[in-house]
Structure formats: structure tokens, C-alpha cells
Amino acid sequence: MFSGLGRFVVRRPWWIILAWVVAAGAVISLAPKLTSSSDEASFLPDHYESIRAAAVQEKDFPRQQNIGAIIVFQRSDGTKLTAADSADVRRVSKDLQSQKIPEVQAVAPGQVSPNKLVQTSVVAMPKLTNPEDTAQQDAVKRLRTDLQPELKGTDLSAGITGSAAQALDESDASKRAGLLVGVGTIVIIVVLLLVIFRSPIIALLPVVLIGLISPMATGLIASANKAFGMKADSSIQELLTVVLFGVGTDYILFLLFRYREALRAGEDVKGGMVHAVERVGEAITSAAGAVIVAFAALTLSSLGMLQSMGPALAIAVFVTLFAGLTLVPAVVSLLGTKVFWPSKSWQREPHGTGFARLGASLARRPAVWALVSALVMGALTLGALGYRANFDLAGSSLPKDKESMVALDDLQKGFPAGTTDPTSVYLTSTADEPLAPSSAAAFRERLSGVTGVGEVAAAKLSPDRTTASYSVILADPPASDKALATVKDRLRPAAHDDAPTGTRALVGGTTAVYVDINKAVDRDYSVVFPVAALAIMVILGLLLRSLVAPWYLMLSVALGFGATLGATSLLFQQIGSQPGLMFMLPVIMYLFVVALGTDYNILMVSRLREEAREGRTPRDAAGTAVRHSGPTIGSAGVILAGTFATLMLAGNSTLSQMGFSLSFGIVIAAFVMAMVFTPALTALIGHAAWWPGHGDERREGAGAGTGGSGGRGGVPGSDGDEGEGEERAGGATRGR
């Protein structure tokens, strides 16, 4: 099939290129844009308590004011506030409200903190219903501009924090992050390809081709959002960029390395490309299939964010695969050997390479290499025991010098950390009868006595007096581990158990949402991980026609995942003193390391099987596969790791964690799993690795000179005569 596809493409390259340009233009011009979203609650199913609490608020308190922002006042000299200072706070608040800023419903001055160091004004805004609406961010920007002139002539300084302020600062940071990631990805790909191939044409090829399909993939994702109700938003744009460029460059490299090998063996330009597509097509299609099914497994997640992220990235990988099998061969077949210009190294294989020496050593001592690589990954896996989840995606990801973060630190000098985002408790009559005032007051007292609760405001009753709303300020930051423990282990049980007879209590708000997200993620671990692993094993089994190989290939990937999570936990939690890792990181890491790590395993094992079919012993086949596939996997791993590492340029701890973990995971997958552990274990298991299909059996007509793999049954170079082996291989092929 892939041989026929290769012949079709190289015979009609201009038609293939034209079809891609027309399709890309149509998709880009007609597709909607990706929107943005920052509402974590919108990604949870309706049965979670925080979502049911939000429904009570919408029904019984539709006009309840939402705290959009908080203005934090303090004296410029850091001393205690005076009566005159409080009078200035009231005046400034009144003046700001009189400005009639859109989205600002009220600017209400609050009380001075008990220690007299801080005073606040609460900026009420309507509940955000349209994730794409930036009006509240614009309101904060206007407030910040108008605030500073109001402070002149006073002894006060002030800053604005709260959800809308953090959203504004996060938006500004994201624009910078997107630019840095995009530019950094392209620069790294170009530089690394120049170093590997010493050809400016190859260096620019992925940038041009993937630059064409990137907006096409984004357009298809946005169209899928509209057609199928997906919620993939613009927050995946940075991740989408590195996936497209990283995975796309990998597939281009797989093809180019095999194309170069065919040319060295004496094939002509067209025949060499057909040979490359035939030999690599099955491997990269299976590899892409593993990535796609792993991402698609996210549709089983409880979180709408992950449910939509998975199919979105799967669409991107599918488009990249299709381009790798059609567009790339068409362009390269037109360029011919000029694609390598000005380098001449494509004409002959270098002697005595590090990969040849590694292959020879692995063929002689597979048990040693398997044990050492397993111990390295196992030792790093121990670091995963200290993993902690962090749910403060906005606050923890923002640079500490952003105004919303500085003002939040100032606020905590005088008020409980939960002031910016109170937890809501709703007490509702189950008989639709008015609540007794005494019962409502007694319930408030019980909530106030919960450990970890700072303050509980007096109950607000709904118009029909059947529901009471309590604003609960926690003693700890809303997204902290302590706050989550307060809601999960003490506040919710107390609210449920102490609700008066004939009533029910629900706990909602941001912290409650995080508690429910944590529960949902735990559930996803037990569902998404096994399903993704099983689907990948099925693909491996079908590709290799083996029931044995998929098990140890997935074992290697599991060790790689554990090593990656362990190294990331050690770096960011132990060395970097972060409160934890982004709560979604293990899921994302699992899918990327498992799926992309399987890419490299598939490429290595496919080549290993090919060498075995040439008549080599299991050890010699493993060594020869490392020699020939090592440069491809190593180059692809370095480039893909480099593209993921660009996420660390964003100045955002969340993206930095993702960038490090994914780049480190790719390095482990390429240089430890695929290049050492997998071939060493396959060499040890031998012929049994291919049971029951026996896909390693020698084919009729196969010989040492037909594969372009080396001159003899042994590992070329293992006895110091690598050059002679290469000459035999080249001569045998050219003599055909």
C-alpha cells in the first residue's frame, strides 16, 4: 500500500502540492477562530456538588454581585492606616464608581484590617458567561489607569487583584508566551537541522511545510468545536504549535533519513523516495495511530477541558501524518538531491559513528545495557512518590511582579488569604418552606467553627426565603492544598451533617470546584491511562503481529513515564520549592510520553524486525538497528525535546513545568527507551519476541546486501571492519 502511495505522489508532485494549498486556503478562510476560556467550572459534569451549588445561585440569587476585582490600599510607608487614610479610601472608591466604567456595578469600600495595615474596596462585576468576552479585563485596565491619579496627594498606594485582574495579567503574559514559544520553536528546529544535515533547504523545509498546515489544523479544530460542541480553546495554542512542529519535524526526519539511506544504496531520486515511503510509511502511520488513539482516549475524561484537548491534538497529528505521507514526499521528490545542498555527506555513510559503536556494544552485552537503562529509569521514578497536585493555574503561573500578584501579597498582610475568592455555602429548604431565622443563624455558627474557616458573613435569603447564602472566607489561599483540605475534609462534611432537618446544604465556589476537579482527575487516572495503554498495545500487536513485544514495549514506556514524573517532581517541588505540579500534568505527560515514546519504539522495532528478516541473529539485528535508526531517533528526539523546551521561555511556571516534563520525557524515550532498553530486551528475548506471528523470519530472496543495512549478518563495525562492510553493502546494491 505504501509503495503504491509513494509512486502516486512522486509521479504527480505538483498536483499534490496544489491540492494542499487549495485545501489549506479553504479551511483557513472558512473556519471560525478558537475562543478562550478561564472558567474551570464549565469543564465539570453537572453531578458534581460545586456545579449543583452554582445552579442554586443562578436560580435563587440571580442578581448576586460577583467579586470581579479587589482594590488593595495600604500606606506608602508601610505603617498603620489612619482615619484620614480610610476617608481617602472611601473618596477614591466613590470617584471610581462615578466614572461609570462598563462592567463595574459597584466599588464598595470595606473595613480596615484588624492589624490596620490594609483596607480594600470590592469591585462588583456581573458573572462572566461568555469566555471570549474581555470586557471585565478592559474594566480592570481602566480602573488601574484611573486609580493612580486619585492617589496623588494622599499617603496611600494601591493595586488591583482578583479574578478579572488575574485574567488581564494572564492574557498579557500569554501573548508574550505565544510569541516566544512560536519564535523559539522555529529557531530551535532550524538550528538543529542545520547542525544535523548542514543544509539550509532541509532546515527551512519543516518551517515552510508545517507553517502551511498549522493554520489548517487550527481551523479544522475550530470547525470541530462548532460541529461537535467541543470546548478546545485558545489556551492550547502554544501546545498545538509545539505538537505540530515537533511531531511534524519528526515525521519529516524519519522520511529524509530513509531517503538518504536509499540514495546511498544507489537508488535514483524518484525510486529513493518511493523506497522511503514504502519502508517508513507503515512505521510512522502506526506511530501516529498510537499518538492519535492516546489523545482520543482523553474523550473519556470527566473534564471538558481534557475531553476537547484530546480530539484537538489528535486532529493536528492526523493532518501532520497525512502531510508527511503526501506533501513532504512530493516536495522532496521535486528537489531531488538538491534538498541536501550544499552538503555532500548524503553520498556516503560516515565511518565509526557513535551509533555504530553503541550498536556493537549492545549486540555483545544486551543484558548489561537492559539492566543499566532500567536502573536509570527506576531510580528517577522514585521521585514521583513526592508528587503533589497544584490547582492554582492562574496565580501560580503568573510572574510574581504582575500587579495582581503583588496586590494579592499585600492583601494577605491584613486579611485571610481567601478574601479574594470566598467559598459559597447554600442552605435550601427541601419542603419549599421558608427557612427559620434561628436555624439559619445557628447554621452560620456551626460553619464558623470549622477549622480553616476565617470568617462567615451573615446569611442572605432568597426572595422566597427558602434558600440562605453564606459567604465563607477561608484562612488559606483558595487554590492551596490547605484550602482544598478544609473544603473537602471539614467544611463540606460539617455543612452536610449540620444542616437542619428539612434542609440540604451545598458547598460551591472556586475552591470547591478545585476539590471536584481533583476528584475527577483521580477518576480519569483509573480510566484514561488503561484505555490509552490498551489501545496502543493493540496497535503494536497489529503492526508487529506479536502478542509478546507489546508487553515489554509498554513496560519501557511505563518506566519512561515514571522517570519523567519523578524528575519533574524533584526539580520543581524539591529544588524549585513549587507548591506542586499542574494538576493535569500527569495526564498530559502520560499521553505524550506514552504516545510519542511509542513512536520511537515503533521506529526502532520496525527496523529491528527488518534486519532480522535479512537473516541476522537477534543480537546482530538489534545492534544493526541501533546503528541505522539511532541517528534518526536521536535527531528526532533532540528536535522534539527542543521544541517542547521552548514552553519554558514563557516565564510561566505552568508552561515551564509542561515544557520541562515533556522535553525530558522525549529525551528518555529517545535515548534510553528506544535506543537502549527496547533493542537490548528484544535481543535477550530473541525469536520469542515475535510470537505467534514470527515476523522476524527471513523472507525469500532476502540477503545481507538487499536492505542497505550492512554487508554481513553481523553488526557492521563490531570487529573493526565497518568500512569494508559498508563497501560490500553499497557495492552489492549498486550492482543490481
Side-chain angles (χ1 to χ4, degrees):
M1 181 181 78
F2 291 101
S3 177
L5 176 63
R7 287 193 295 271
F8 177 83
V9 169
V10 300
R11 288 172 183 170
R12 302 169 181 82
W14 286 111
W15 286 106
I16 297 294
I17 295 170
L18 179 62
W20 269 98
V21 171
V22 171
V27 171
I28 295 169
S29 61
L30 298 176
K33 292 183 178 180
L34 286 177
T35 60
S36 62
S37 176
S38 59
D39 183 7
E40 291 88 352
S42 67
F43 297 113
L44 278 170
D46 293 341
H47 66 270
Y48 283 97
E49 182 172 344
S50 58
I51 306 304
R52 290 187 284 128
V56 171
Q57 189 228 309
E58 291 291 331
K59 174 179 176 289
D60 294 328
F61 301 92
R63 297 183 180 180
Q64 181 173 315
Q65 290 184 330
N66 178 59
I67 300 177
I70 295 178
I71 307 174
V72 182
F73 296 90
Q74 59 183 340
R75 282 186 62 88
S76 301
D77 57 11
T79 59
K80 293 183 178 181
L81 294 165
T82 66
D85 294 328
S86 292
D88 286 334
V89 170
R90 291 191 293 273
R91 176 188 59 78
V92 170
S93 302
K94 182 178 179 181
D95 289 347
L96 289 175
Q97 182 166 336
S98 67
Q99 297 293 330
K100 303 295 183 183
I101 299 173
E103 295 295 304
V104 175
Q105 297 172 324
V107 182
Q111 298 296 317
V112 180
S113 65
N115 60 9
K116 306 294 185 183
L117 292 178
V118 179
Q119 187 170 358
T120 62
S121 280
V122 175
V123 181
M125 295 181 176
K127 182 176 175 60
L128 187 65
T129 56
N130 180 9
E132 196 174 3
D133 188 0
T134 61
Q136 293 190 4
Q137 297 178 32
D138 295 336
V140 172
K141 190 181 300 183
R142 172 80 180 276
L143 283 169
R144 286 176 173 172
T145 301
D146 293 348
L147 176 61
Q148 297 310 314
E150 293 285 346
L151 297 175
K152 289 182 178 179
T154 71
D155 295 322
L156 298 172
S157 64
I160 302 179
T161 187
S163 58
Q166 285 190 345
L168 173 62
D169 290 341
E170 189 176 15
S171 176
D172 292 340
S174 295
K175 291 176 183 176
R176 173 178 172 272
L179 178 63
L180 285 173
V181 169
V183 173
T185 298
I186 292 173
V187 168
I188 284 178
I189 288 175
V190 170
V191 170
L192 290 176
L193 285 176
L194 275 173
V195 171
I196 294 167
F197 286 98
R198 296 187 290 280
S199 166
I201 297 176
I202 289 180
L204 293 174
L205 189 64
V207 176
V208 174
L209 296 184
I210 300 172
L212 171 68
I213 67 174
S214 178
M216 182 179 180
T218 303
L220 289 173
I221 292 168
S223 298
N225 277 354
K226 185 176 181 180
F228 302 107
M230 288 168 42
K231 296 179 181 177
D233 66 0
S234 58
S235 66
I236 71 166
Q237 194 64 58
E238 288 83 9
L239 190 58
L240 192 62
T241 298
V242 294
V243 166
L244 284 166
F245 277 93
V247 174
T249 303
D250 268 11
Y251 295 162
I252 291 174
L253 279 177
F254 294 168
L255 199 69
L256 284 176
F257 270 103
R258 202 58 188 254
Y259 177 58
R260 186 176 67 178
E261 186 179 329
L263 293 178
R264 285 172 175 170
E267 296 275 8
D268 60 35
V269 170
K270 299 289 187 182
M273 181 51 65
V274 173
H275 173 88
V277 173
E278 177 186 6
R279 292 301 178 96
V280 178
E282 183 181 27
I284 67 172
T285 300
S286 301
V291 178
I292 289 169
V293 299
F295 287 157
L298 284 176
T299 57
L300 301 175
S301 170
S302 299
L303 301 175
M305 182 188 305
L306 294 179
Q307 285 177 0
S308 297
M309 180 193 295
L313 296 177
I315 289 171
V317 173
F318 178 80
V319 173
T320 306
L321 170 66
F322 193 53
L325 292 176
T326 56
L327 180 61
V328 176
V331 172
V332 174
S333 67
L334 286 174
L335 294 172
T337 58
K338 296 184 182 67
V339 75
F340 301 105
W341 179 88
S343 173
K344 301 293 185 182
S345 62
W346 64 271
Q347 296 175 347
R348 56 193 174 278
E349 185 175 353
H351 292 257
T353 65
F355 294 106
R357 290 191 293 272
L358 174 62
S361 177
L362 189 145
R364 288 193 298 268
R365 303 179 186 87
V368 172
W369 283 102
L371 180 62
V372 169
S373 56
L375 287 175
V376 168
M377 292 188 287
L380 288 172
T381 299
L382 295 177
L385 298 176
Y387 164 76
R388 296 188 304 274
N390 177 34
F391 293 84
D392 188 7
L393 299 188
S396 65
S397 64
L398 282 173
K400 298 303 180 185
D401 60 350
K402 286 292 186 181
E403 182 174 334
S404 60
M405 301 306 295
V406 174
L408 180 60
D409 288 339
D410 292 337
L411 175 71
Q412 294 178 20
K413 295 176 183 176
F415 289 103
T419 301
T420 58
D421 208 339
T423 293
S424 300
V425 178
Y426 299 98
L427 184 67
T428 303
S429 170
T430 55
D432 291 331
E433 296 179 354
L435 293 171
S438 58
S439 297
F443 186 67
R444 178 194 176 195
E445 290 299 321
R446 296 188 186 100
L447 296 179
S448 300
V450 173
T451 303
V453 170
E455 301 174 10
V456 180
K460 294 181 179 179
L461 295 177
S462 61
D464 61 4
R465 306 182 69 82
T466 60
T467 301
S469 170
Y470 301 86
S471 179
V472 179
I473 296 177
L474 303 178
D476 302 292
S480 66
D481 288 342
K482 290 183 178 179
L484 267 67
T486 296
V487 170
K488 177 185 176 183
D489 300 330
R490 294 185 292 275
L491 183 59
R492 270 186 174 168
H496 297 162
D497 295 342
D498 295 338
T501 303
T503 66
R504 68 171 180 271
L506 295 173
V507 178
T510 301
T511 306
V513 168
Y514 291 145
V515 170
D516 290 340
I517 287 177
N518 193 13
K519 183 178 179 180
V521 170
D522 287 343
R523 175 261 178 198
D524 290 348
Y525 290 158
S526 64
V527 175
V528 176
F529 283 18
V531 169
L534 180 61
I536 292 174
M537 287 184 68
V538 169
I539 289 177
L540 289 171
L542 293 174
L543 170 68
L544 303 174
R545 286 110 177 141
S546 167
L547 295 178
V548 177
W551 286 98
Y552 68 82
L553 292 178
M554 288 307 297
L555 170 64
S556 73
V557 170
L559 283 172
F561 167 75
T564 303
L565 182 59
T568 307
S569 298
L570 288 172
L571 179 64
F572 287 94
Q573 294 181 187
Q574 306 301 323
I575 299 175
S577 67
Q578 288 282 328
L581 303 182
M582 180 183 66
F583 70 92
M584 292 187 300
L585 190 60
V587 176
I588 296 172
M589 187 190 306
Y590 175 84
L591 293 171
F592 274 94
V593 174
V594 168
L596 297 178
T598 302
D599 268 17
Y600 300 140
N601 268 343
I602 286 175
L603 191 70
M604 177 59 74
V605 173
S606 295
R607 186 58 187 252
L608 197 152
R609 180 182 61 179
E610 185 179 329
E611 298 300 336
R613 287 173 174 174
E614 298 292 337
R616 292 179 173 82
T617 66
R619 292 192 177 199
D620 290 342
T624 307
V626 170
R627 175 193 173 194
H628 283 284
S629 292
T632 309
I633 294 173
S635 300
V638 168
I639 289 176
L640 188 57
T643 57
F644 280 127
T646 59
L647 290 171
M648 300 176 70
L649 299 173
N652 175 316
S653 65
T654 298
L655 289 178
S656 293
Q657 291 175 11
M658 188 182 298
F660 171 81
S661 64
L662 296 182
S663 59
F664 185 86
I666 294 303
V667 168
I668 289 289
F671 292 95
V672 182
M673 287 164 43
M675 210 175 294
V676 177
F677 186 77
T678 293
L681 209 56
T682 305
L684 287 173
I685 296 173
H687 185 64
W690 310 99
W691 183 87
H694 305 309
D696 63 327
E697 291 181 346
R698 183 167 178 160
R699 299 294 178 87
E700 288 297 326
T706 59
S709 306
R712 294 168 297 172
V715 180
S718 60
D719 297 313
D721 54 0
E722 177 184 348
E724 180 185 353
E726 289 172 356
E727 287 299 318
R728 292 184 190 179
T733 309
R734 286 189 294 272
R736 284 185 295 177

